[in-house]
Amino acid sequence: MSTLAIEVTGLTKRYDNLTAVAGATFSVPRGAICGFVGPNGAGKTTTIRMLLGLIAPTSGSANVLGQSIADPEKYLAFVGALIEGPAFYPALTGAENLRVLATLGGFPTQRVEELITQVGLAGRGNDKYKTYSLGMKQRLGIAAALLPNPALLILDEPTNGLDPEGIQEVRDLLKKLASEGTTVFVSSHLLSEIEIISEHIVMLRKGEVVFAGPIEELLMNQKPTIIVRTENPNDLEKIATIATAEGHKVSIRGGEAHIEGPHDWAAILNKKAFEAGITLAQLTPTLPNLEETFFEMTGGK
Ligand code: ADP
């Protein structure tokens, strides 16, 4: 048995002139929670659709649970998926909705109660779907994806539109499922929603994979940064020019210059600013957090 739940090689999807996914290569080990992150339009849903055999790639290949995506019938029985909002009947209860889906899908209806409990809806399973909060609706969607008792769960933006409490509920549920042995591949346009629970990250930018691997590796790749504010905001550009001339990468955001460079360069910059007649209001050597690294790597927000 392959130790990889997902293995993607040079996967590409073109729509007319637009390349939605451009030669993506990454893998997801079995048993992991893997976050699939990138700004809106980066190509996450398109990749997921290819992994589920819903659309065919233009070129490249991928294996899911050791089987080629050219033969989805060989693995789909072991994969649970939630893409786009699931269609439930508003006037039926959560449990009734799951029973309908189980019957349609040929899955045992006996598991419905167990699944309701598993996703934290015990006590609410007999309430109508239309009375559920968004977080509860999303968890019922995950329960539906769990009907086949899948080895791999693929979720597209399961926290989209949820309030912080709902996001926390979904996070806790995914952590629990992973601890019970399910591989979870979960997409989000917000790294902050994923980094807390993921051991693995695949980062997508304009259809290209910009990072794939363990989150610790991403942290190790972080470059030390010096954050500068000037007393006169108009001097910020001058600081950027000085740093760029010395070979340092600079980005200006939120009234701050973020300058890549070793921490001891801060003293040199301070001296150069003084010589140029610029008064600094702040000079802070730091390591960017993951959110900033994500911003740098994906150009997203
Ligand atoms: P994400 O899920 O990361 O937000 P998508 O995979 O939905 O990104 O979209 C990637 C790009 O492909 C976008 O520019 C989108 O407009 C385009 N796209 C997606 N599906 C189609 C389609 N069926 N036809 C044409 N363009 C599409």
Side-chain angles (χ1 to χ4, degrees):
M1 191 171 80
S2 167
T3 56
L4 297 176
I6 300 174
E7 193 177 10
V8 171
T9 313
L11 201 63
T12 298
K13 180 69 184 180
R14 259 181 231 116
Y15 292 109
D16 299 322
N17 311 335
L18 182 122
T19 306
V21 179
T25 297
F26 65 88
S27 58
V28 179
R30 280 187 195 248
I33 299 188
C34 179
F36 188 32
V37 291
N40 285 326
K44 302 180 297 294
T45 304
T46 306
T47 304
I48 287 176
R49 288 180 161 277
M50 288 192 273
L51 293 178
L52 294 171
L54 295 170
I55 53 172
T58 309
S59 60
S61 63
N63 286 347
V64 175
L65 300 173
Q67 303 287 341
S68 164
I69 55 167
D71 305 307
E73 68 283 357
K74 290 198 179 148
Y75 62 84
L76 280 185
F78 311 102
V79 177
L82 179 64
I83 58 169
E84 286 142 17
F88 289 116
Y89 297 104
L92 295 187
T93 68
E96 283 166 346
N97 268 296
L98 286 188
R99 274 196 285 276
V100 169
L101 288 176
T103 308
L104 286 174
F107 306 117
T109 50
Q110 296 92 297
R111 286 195 61 230
V112 165
E113 283 311 316
E114 178 194 324
L115 287 175
I116 293 267
T117 307
Q118 196 175 9
V119 300
L121 288 174
R124 294 298 305 272
N126 294 325
D127 293 341
K128 287 194 181 6
Y129 178 75
K130 63 183 173 196
T131 68
Y132 284 9
S133 69
L134 262 179
M136 292 167 69
K137 286 178 175 167
Q138 208 57 319
R139 282 182 286 139
L140 189 70
I142 296 173
L146 290 170
L147 278 168
N149 200 12
L152 169 65
L153 193 58
I154 298 181
L155 307 170
D156 195 13
E157 300 267 1
T159 52
N160 214 5
L162 297 188
D163 57 13
E165 198 184 335
I167 292 170
Q168 189 59 44
E169 288 168 4
V170 169
R171 260 193 215 139
D172 291 345
L173 173 59
L174 297 187
K175 253 198 282 192
K176 184 163 123 285
L177 291 170
S179 73
E180 290 160 1
T182 313
T183 308
V184 181
F185 187 62
V186 52
S187 81
S188 178
H189 63 287
L190 296 171
L191 178 68
S192 53
E193 290 181 3
I194 295 291
E195 64 165 280
I196 300 170
I197 55 165
S198 307
E199 301 112 44
H200 263 74
I201 288 274
V202 176
M203 275 189 184
L204 209 59
R205 175 183 196 256
K206 294 186 182 156
E208 291 178 14
V209 174
V210 290
F211 176 84
I215 244 183
E216 297 100 75
E217 216 172 276
L218 188 63
L219 286 166
M220 273 167 17
N221 281 343
Q222 288 175 306
K223 300 191 178 72
T225 300
I226 301 159
I227 298 177
V228 177
R229 273 180 194 273
T230 49
E231 201 173 63
N232 178 351
N234 297 330
D235 285 341
L236 212 53
E237 283 293 343
K238 290 185 202 155
I239 289 290
T241 309
I242 292 171
T244 310
E246 298 271 320
H248 296 266
K249 213 174 125 194
V250 185
S251 64
I252 292 185
R253 39 192 145 102
E256 294 173 342
H258 291 233
I259 303 170
E260 261 180 32
H263 291 171
D264 52 7
W265 195 71
I268 297 171
L269 179 64
N270 196 14
K271 193 160 161 273
K272 286 190 179 293
F274 178 76
E275 284 165 4
I278 302 168
T279 309
L280 300 184
Q282 184 193 341
L283 180 67
T284 317
T286 176
L287 260 185
N289 63 28
L290 268 186
E291 198 69 47
E292 284 167 332
T293 305
F294 177 62
F295 182 92
E296 293 284 343
M297 295 179 86
T298 64
K301 288 179 196 56

PDB file of all heavy atoms in Angstrom, residues 181-197:
ATOM      1  N   GLY A 181      -7.348   8.422  12.553  1.00  0.00           N
ATOM      2  CA  GLY A 181      -6.710   7.732  11.427  1.00  0.00           C
ATOM      3  C   GLY A 181      -7.123   8.190  10.040  1.00  0.00           C
ATOM      4  O   GLY A 181      -6.627   7.682   9.039  1.00  0.00           O
ATOM      5  N   THR A 182      -8.062   9.151   9.947  1.00  0.00           N
ATOM      6  CA  THR A 182      -8.484   9.627   8.620  1.00  0.00           C
ATOM      7  C   THR A 182      -7.480  10.658   8.108  1.00  0.00           C
ATOM      8  O   THR A 182      -7.071  11.538   8.855  1.00  0.00           O
ATOM      9  CB  THR A 182      -9.877  10.309   8.713  1.00  0.00           C
ATOM     10  OG1 THR A 182     -10.737   9.470   9.459  1.00  0.00           O
ATOM     11  CG2 THR A 182     -10.462  10.574   7.342  1.00  0.00           C
ATOM     12  N   THR A 183      -7.065  10.537   6.859  1.00  0.00           N
ATOM     13  CA  THR A 183      -6.241  11.574   6.243  1.00  0.00           C
ATOM     14  C   THR A 183      -7.173  12.709   5.834  1.00  0.00           C
ATOM     15  O   THR A 183      -8.225  12.457   5.249  1.00  0.00           O
ATOM     16  CB  THR A 183      -5.527  11.038   4.980  1.00  0.00           C
ATOM     17  OG1 THR A 183      -4.843   9.845   5.339  1.00  0.00           O
ATOM     18  CG2 THR A 183      -4.541  12.052   4.426  1.00  0.00           C
ATOM     19  N   VAL A 184      -6.793  13.932   6.167  1.00  0.00           N
ATOM     20  CA  VAL A 184      -7.650  15.078   5.863  1.00  0.00           C
ATOM     21  C   VAL A 184      -6.904  16.050   4.951  1.00  0.00           C
ATOM     22  O   VAL A 184      -5.801  16.488   5.277  1.00  0.00           O
ATOM     23  CB  VAL A 184      -8.098  15.811   7.160  1.00  0.00           C
ATOM     24  CG1 VAL A 184      -9.005  16.986   6.819  1.00  0.00           C
ATOM     25  CG2 VAL A 184      -8.801  14.859   8.119  1.00  0.00           C
ATOM     26  N   PHE A 185      -7.501  16.352   3.811  1.00  0.00           N
ATOM     27  CA  PHE A 185      -6.942  17.338   2.879  1.00  0.00           C
ATOM     28  C   PHE A 185      -7.941  18.479   2.828  1.00  0.00           C
ATOM     29  O   PHE A 185      -9.070  18.308   2.342  1.00  0.00           O
ATOM     30  CB  PHE A 185      -6.745  16.686   1.511  1.00  0.00           C
ATOM     31  CG  PHE A 185      -6.030  17.549   0.505  1.00  0.00           C
ATOM     32  CD1 PHE A 185      -4.724  17.970   0.734  1.00  0.00           C
ATOM     33  CD2 PHE A 185      -6.647  17.921  -0.683  1.00  0.00           C
ATOM     34  CE1 PHE A 185      -4.047  18.761  -0.198  1.00  0.00           C
ATOM     35  CE2 PHE A 185      -5.977  18.704  -1.622  1.00  0.00           C
ATOM     36  CZ  PHE A 185      -4.668  19.117  -1.369  1.00  0.00           C
ATOM     37  N   VAL A 186      -7.555  19.628   3.375  1.00  0.00           N
ATOM     38  CA  VAL A 186      -8.549  20.690   3.582  1.00  0.00           C
ATOM     39  C   VAL A 186      -8.049  22.017   3.003  1.00  0.00           C
ATOM     40  O   VAL A 186      -6.941  22.448   3.292  1.00  0.00           O
ATOM     41  CB  VAL A 186      -8.903  20.807   5.089  1.00  0.00           C
ATOM     42  CG1 VAL A 186      -7.678  20.948   5.961  1.00  0.00           C
ATOM     43  CG2 VAL A 186      -9.859  21.965   5.361  1.00  0.00           C
ATOM     44  N   SER A 187      -8.883  22.631   2.154  1.00  0.00           N
ATOM     45  CA  SER A 187      -8.438  23.872   1.517  1.00  0.00           C
ATOM     46  C   SER A 187      -8.971  25.090   2.258  1.00  0.00           C
ATOM     47  O   SER A 187     -10.003  25.027   2.929  1.00  0.00           O
ATOM     48  CB  SER A 187      -8.905  23.932   0.064  1.00  0.00           C
ATOM     49  OG  SER A 187     -10.245  24.347  -0.006  1.00  0.00           O
ATOM     50  N   SER A 188      -8.226  26.183   2.157  1.00  0.00           N
ATOM     51  CA  SER A 188      -8.685  27.461   2.690  1.00  0.00           C
ATOM     52  C   SER A 188      -7.911  28.588   2.026  1.00  0.00           C
ATOM     53  O   SER A 188      -6.772  28.405   1.627  1.00  0.00           O
ATOM     54  CB  SER A 188      -8.476  27.524   4.202  1.00  0.00           C
ATOM     55  OG  SER A 188      -8.892  28.793   4.677  1.00  0.00           O
ATOM     56  N   HIS A 189      -8.566  29.752   1.891  1.00  0.00           N
ATOM     57  CA  HIS A 189      -7.813  30.904   1.394  1.00  0.00           C
ATOM     58  C   HIS A 189      -7.154  31.652   2.551  1.00  0.00           C
ATOM     59  O   HIS A 189      -6.417  32.599   2.339  1.00  0.00           O
ATOM     60  CB  HIS A 189      -8.699  31.832   0.550  1.00  0.00           C
ATOM     61  CG  HIS A 189      -9.830  32.444   1.309  1.00  0.00           C
ATOM     62  ND1 HIS A 189     -10.935  31.723   1.686  1.00  0.00           N
ATOM     63  CD2 HIS A 189     -10.020  33.695   1.771  1.00  0.00           C
ATOM     64  CE1 HIS A 189     -11.759  32.520   2.351  1.00  0.00           C
ATOM     65  NE2 HIS A 189     -11.223  33.721   2.413  1.00  0.00           N
ATOM     66  N   LEU A 190      -7.414  31.210   3.786  1.00  0.00           N
ATOM     67  CA  LEU A 190      -6.809  31.840   4.956  1.00  0.00           C
ATOM     68  C   LEU A 190      -5.899  30.857   5.671  1.00  0.00           C
ATOM     69  O   LEU A 190      -6.365  29.854   6.199  1.00  0.00           O
ATOM     70  CB  LEU A 190      -7.898  32.311   5.919  1.00  0.00           C
ATOM     71  CG  LEU A 190      -8.832  33.396   5.388  1.00  0.00           C
ATOM     72  CD1 LEU A 190      -9.982  33.626   6.346  1.00  0.00           C
ATOM     73  CD2 LEU A 190      -8.066  34.686   5.134  1.00  0.00           C
ATOM     74  N   LEU A 191      -4.618  31.163   5.683  1.00  0.00           N
ATOM     75  CA  LEU A 191      -3.661  30.266   6.329  1.00  0.00           C
ATOM     76  C   LEU A 191      -3.971  30.119   7.820  1.00  0.00           C
ATOM     77  O   LEU A 191      -3.834  29.046   8.390  1.00  0.00           O
ATOM     78  CB  LEU A 191      -2.240  30.807   6.141  1.00  0.00           C
ATOM     79  CG  LEU A 191      -1.151  29.984   6.799  1.00  0.00           C
ATOM     80  CD1 LEU A 191      -1.012  28.640   6.121  1.00  0.00           C
ATOM     81  CD2 LEU A 191       0.169  30.707   6.795  1.00  0.00           C
ATOM     82  N   SER A 192      -4.410  31.234   8.444  1.00  0.00           N
ATOM     83  CA  SER A 192      -4.627  31.221   9.896  1.00  0.00           C
ATOM     84  C   SER A 192      -5.652  30.170  10.299  1.00  0.00           C
ATOM     85  O   SER A 192      -5.616  29.658  11.413  1.00  0.00           O
ATOM     86  CB  SER A 192      -5.075  32.600  10.357  1.00  0.00           C
ATOM     87  OG  SER A 192      -6.186  33.013   9.592  1.00  0.00           O
ATOM     88  N   GLU A 193      -6.580  29.823   9.394  1.00  0.00           N
ATOM     89  CA  GLU A 193      -7.613  28.848   9.742  1.00  0.00           C
ATOM     90  C   GLU A 193      -7.087  27.417   9.678  1.00  0.00           C
ATOM     91  O   GLU A 193      -7.711  26.499  10.172  1.00  0.00           O
ATOM     92  CB  GLU A 193      -8.803  28.991   8.787  1.00  0.00           C
ATOM     93  CG  GLU A 193      -9.545  30.265   9.049  1.00  0.00           C
ATOM     94  CD  GLU A 193     -10.746  30.422   8.144  1.00  0.00           C
ATOM     95  OE1 GLU A 193     -11.029  29.518   7.352  1.00  0.00           O
ATOM     96  OE2 GLU A 193     -11.381  31.473   8.255  1.00  0.00           O
ATOM     97  N   ILE A 194      -5.935  27.251   9.045  1.00  0.00           N
ATOM     98  CA  ILE A 194      -5.435  25.929   8.741  1.00  0.00           C
ATOM     99  C   ILE A 194      -4.186  25.599   9.551  1.00  0.00           C
ATOM    100  O   ILE A 194      -3.999  24.484  10.002  1.00  0.00           O
ATOM    101  CB  ILE A 194      -5.067  25.861   7.231  1.00  0.00           C
ATOM    102  CG1 ILE A 194      -6.322  26.034   6.381  1.00  0.00           C
ATOM    103  CG2 ILE A 194      -4.353  24.585   6.878  1.00  0.00           C
ATOM    104  CD1 ILE A 194      -7.282  24.897   6.460  1.00  0.00           C
ATOM    105  N   GLU A 195      -3.323  26.618   9.749  1.00  0.00           N
ATOM    106  CA  GLU A 195      -1.994  26.335  10.294  1.00  0.00           C
ATOM    107  C   GLU A 195      -2.068  25.694  11.675  1.00  0.00           C
ATOM    108  O   GLU A 195      -1.220  24.890  12.032  1.00  0.00           O
ATOM    109  CB  GLU A 195      -1.131  27.602  10.344  1.00  0.00           C
ATOM    110  CG  GLU A 195      -1.678  28.650  11.287  1.00  0.00           C
ATOM    111  CD  GLU A 195      -0.659  29.731  11.615  1.00  0.00           C
ATOM    112  OE1 GLU A 195       0.200  29.470  12.466  1.00  0.00           O
ATOM    113  OE2 GLU A 195      -0.739  30.798  11.025  1.00  0.00           O
ATOM    114  N   ILE A 196      -3.110  26.031  12.431  1.00  0.00           N
ATOM    115  CA  ILE A 196      -3.212  25.526  13.799  1.00  0.00           C
ATOM    116  C   ILE A 196      -3.371  24.009  13.821  1.00  0.00           C
ATOM    117  O   ILE A 196      -2.897  23.346  14.731  1.00  0.00           O
ATOM    118  CB  ILE A 196      -4.405  26.188  14.510  1.00  0.00           C
ATOM    119  CG1 ILE A 196      -4.192  27.698  14.539  1.00  0.00           C
ATOM    120  CG2 ILE A 196      -4.615  25.635  15.893  1.00  0.00           C
ATOM    121  CD1 ILE A 196      -5.401  28.473  14.989  1.00  0.00           C
ATOM    122  N   ILE A 197      -4.041  23.452  12.814  1.00  0.00           N
ATOM    123  CA  ILE A 197      -4.314  22.016  12.851  1.00  0.00           C
ATOM    124  C   ILE A 197      -3.473  21.209  11.865  1.00  0.00           C
ATOM    125  O   ILE A 197      -3.447  19.993  11.934  1.00  0.00           O
ATOM    126  CB  ILE A 197      -5.813  21.713  12.600  1.00  0.00           C
ATOM    127  CG1 ILE A 197      -6.280  22.348  11.283  1.00  0.00           C
ATOM    128  CG2 ILE A 197      -6.661  22.167  13.761  1.00  0.00           C
ATOM    129  CD1 ILE A 197      -7.613  21.793  10.821  1.00  0.00           C
TER     130      ILE A 197
END
